[in-house]
Amino acid sequence: MRQLIITLFALFVSCASFAQDDIDIAAIADGTSEAEAQSGWNTATTRNNSVVTNSFFSNWFVSAGIAGSSFFGENEPEGTSGSPFKSFRNNLGLSLSMGKWFTPGIGLRMKFNGIWGKGLIGEQAVEGSFKYLTLQVQTMFNLSNLFKGYNPTRLYNFIPYAGYGLMRNISYNDNTLGFGFGLLNTFRLSDRVSLNVDFNYNKPVSDNHLSPYVLHYSYNLEFGITYNIGKSKWKKAPDVEAIHEMYQMEIEAINAQLQDEQQENERLRQQLPPTE
């Protein structure tokens, strides 16, 4: 009799502990092996293209680089070579930018490019130099993250962008507005640092005829480095449906175990001798 009571008590404790076993939902969302061991299921519980939104002060970056610029003017004589590598139209400059990623796929940056320019100046199209700058607000689209899902360790990211802002010829005190678009290629070196190659095109909205040099459009090829400020990673959003399904399977397994224990308890109860 004593042995039977001890057996029933052990079965009760086993059922209770099994029913109260907790599963770390945060660990499941992170996809850790410990969570899979707890749940008994190997289930993907994060969405590949969804992340948890970070604070405003997260995901900022700064970039700096060397720019090779090639200028094409409105007053170039007929038959002038259109090669961007001609010495009379290209020179080196600087590129600086600061921006923020609002999601892994969409970001904004303020970008400066300029200082030294060359082109054919005046009605006689004489080779000359000038100082200039462009300052644009640009919208960036990380297509690697948008189409292939967020991956913080991805080596290469493909990022087209478009912008609008000020174009100024410093030497002749001329200002105009302009637009541009380009392709930013980034190569990851660490969580904080990446190399970038940026090819872009810029064009004034309207020709500025106050200057002897009238810019038609320009090309820029930039090589630089980007540094991520503060928190730079994103947490993938949990797949609530998958987690709910996992818990539902756990509950069904627990219910099945309880039914088995109840049947075993009933069988043992029936084996007890009748009481007087």
Side-chain angles (χ1 to χ4, degrees), residues 170-191:
I170 301 172
S171 299
Y172 297 98
N173 197 29
D174 287 341
N175 301 308
T176 185
L177 295 176
F179 66 90
F181 54 86
L183 175 61
L184 175 64
N185 305 270
T186 66
F187 301 86
R188 179 182 181 273
L189 298 180
S190 69
D191 289 344

Side-chain angles (χ1 to χ4, degrees), residues 1 12 14 17 21 52 59-60 62 76-77 83 98 133 141 154 157 170 180 207-209 223 233 270:
M1 183 66 180
F12 174 79
S14 175
S17 62
D21 188 21
V52 178
N59 306 106
W60 287 84
V62 292
E76 294 183 3
S83 171
M98 182 175 184
L133 67 83
F141 304 92
R154 180 179 289 120
N157 284 281
I170 301 172
D207 296 332
N208 189 338
H209 297 287
F223 297 90
K233 292 185 177 181
Q270 292 177 359

Side-chain angles (χ1 to χ4, degrees), residues 23 38-41 246-255:
I23 299 175
Q38 289 182 19
S39 65
W41 304 99
M246 181 183 297
Y247 270 101
Q248 188 62 39
M249 297 171 73
E250 290 286 346
I251 292 173
E252 292 175 358
I254 291 172
N255 288 335

Side-chain angles (χ1 to χ4, degrees), residues 23 27 34 54 59 61 68 100 137 164 204:
I23 299 175
E34 182 180 356
N54 288 335
N59 306 106
F61 63 88
K100 172 180 170 58
V137 176
Y164 187 83

Side-chain angles (χ1 to χ4, degrees), residues 23-272:
I23 299 175
D24 187 350
I25 190 170
I28 292 174
D30 289 338
T32 61
S33 59
E34 182 180 356
E36 292 176 358
Q38 289 182 19
S39 65
W41 304 99
N42 185 1
T43 306
T45 54
T46 58
R47 295 185 180 275
N48 192 42
N49 291 319
S50 299
V51 296
V52 178
T53 303
N54 288 335
S55 71
F56 176 80
F57 299 100
S58 301
N59 306 106
W60 287 84
F61 63 88
V62 292
S63 301
I66 300 296
S69 300
S70 184
F71 294 86
F72 293 78
E74 283 282 3
N75 53 2
E76 294 183 3
E78 185 177 352
T80 301
S81 173
S83 171
F85 303 105
K86 291 296 182 179
S87 61
F88 61 80
R89 72 166 80 254
N90 64 74
N91 209 344
L92 292 178
L94 299 177
S95 174
L96 302 171
S97 63
M98 182 175 184
K100 172 180 170 58
W101 289 103
F102 293 93
T103 72
I106 299 176
L108 287 176
R109 71 176 177 178
M110 176 72 75
K111 181 182 175 183
F112 163 86
N113 173 274
I115 299 191
W116 303 286
K118 294 176 67 176
L120 299 179
I121 298 175
E123 294 181 358
Q124 302 301 319
V126 178
E127 181 179 339
S129 61
F130 51 87
K131 292 184 178 180
Y132 78 101
L133 67 83
T134 61
L135 189 65
Q136 292 185 351
V137 176
Q138 299 173 337
T139 303
M140 303 178 297
F141 304 92
N142 188 326
L143 297 188
S144 299
N145 284 336
L146 286 172
F147 289 100
K148 299 183 67 176
Y150 170 63
N151 181 358
T153 61
R154 180 179 289 120
L155 175 63
Y156 170 73
N157 284 281
F158 181 83
I159 308 172
Y161 63 87
Y164 187 83
L166 172 69
M167 302 182 72
R168 173 175 170 77
N169 188 321
I170 301 172
S171 299
Y172 297 98
N173 197 29
D174 287 341
N175 301 308
T176 185
L177 295 176
F179 66 90
F181 54 86
L183 175 61
L184 175 64
N185 305 270
T186 66
F187 301 86
R188 179 182 181 273
L189 298 180
S190 69
D191 289 344
R192 293 287 182 190
V193 181
S194 62
L195 295 177
N196 58 71
V197 179
D198 188 336
F199 178 72
N200 56 79
Y201 168 91
N202 291 287
K203 182 177 178 60
V205 174
S206 61
D207 296 332
N208 189 338
H209 297 287
L210 298 178
S211 167
Y213 181 74
V214 182
L215 177 65
H216 186 37
Y217 58 86
S218 68
Y219 292 112
N220 300 279
L221 180 60
E222 306 169 11
F223 297 90
I225 192 167
T226 297
Y227 181 79
N228 296 319
I229 302 173
K231 183 178 180 180
S232 60
K233 292 185 177 181
W234 309 79
K235 289 185 178 180
K236 288 192 175 183
D239 189 336
V240 177
E241 294 181 0
I243 294 175
H244 175 75
E245 181 179 353
M246 181 183 297
Y247 270 101
Q248 188 62 39
M249 297 171 73
E250 290 286 346
I251 292 173
E252 292 175 358
I254 291 172
N255 288 335
Q257 180 70 17
L258 288 174
Q259 290 179 1
D260 292 341
E261 299 293 350
Q262 289 173 356
Q263 292 175 0
E264 179 65 16
N265 290 343
E266 179 63 22
R267 186 185 68 80
L268 293 174
R269 187 187 64 81
Q270 292 177 359
Q271 293 180 358
L272 292 173

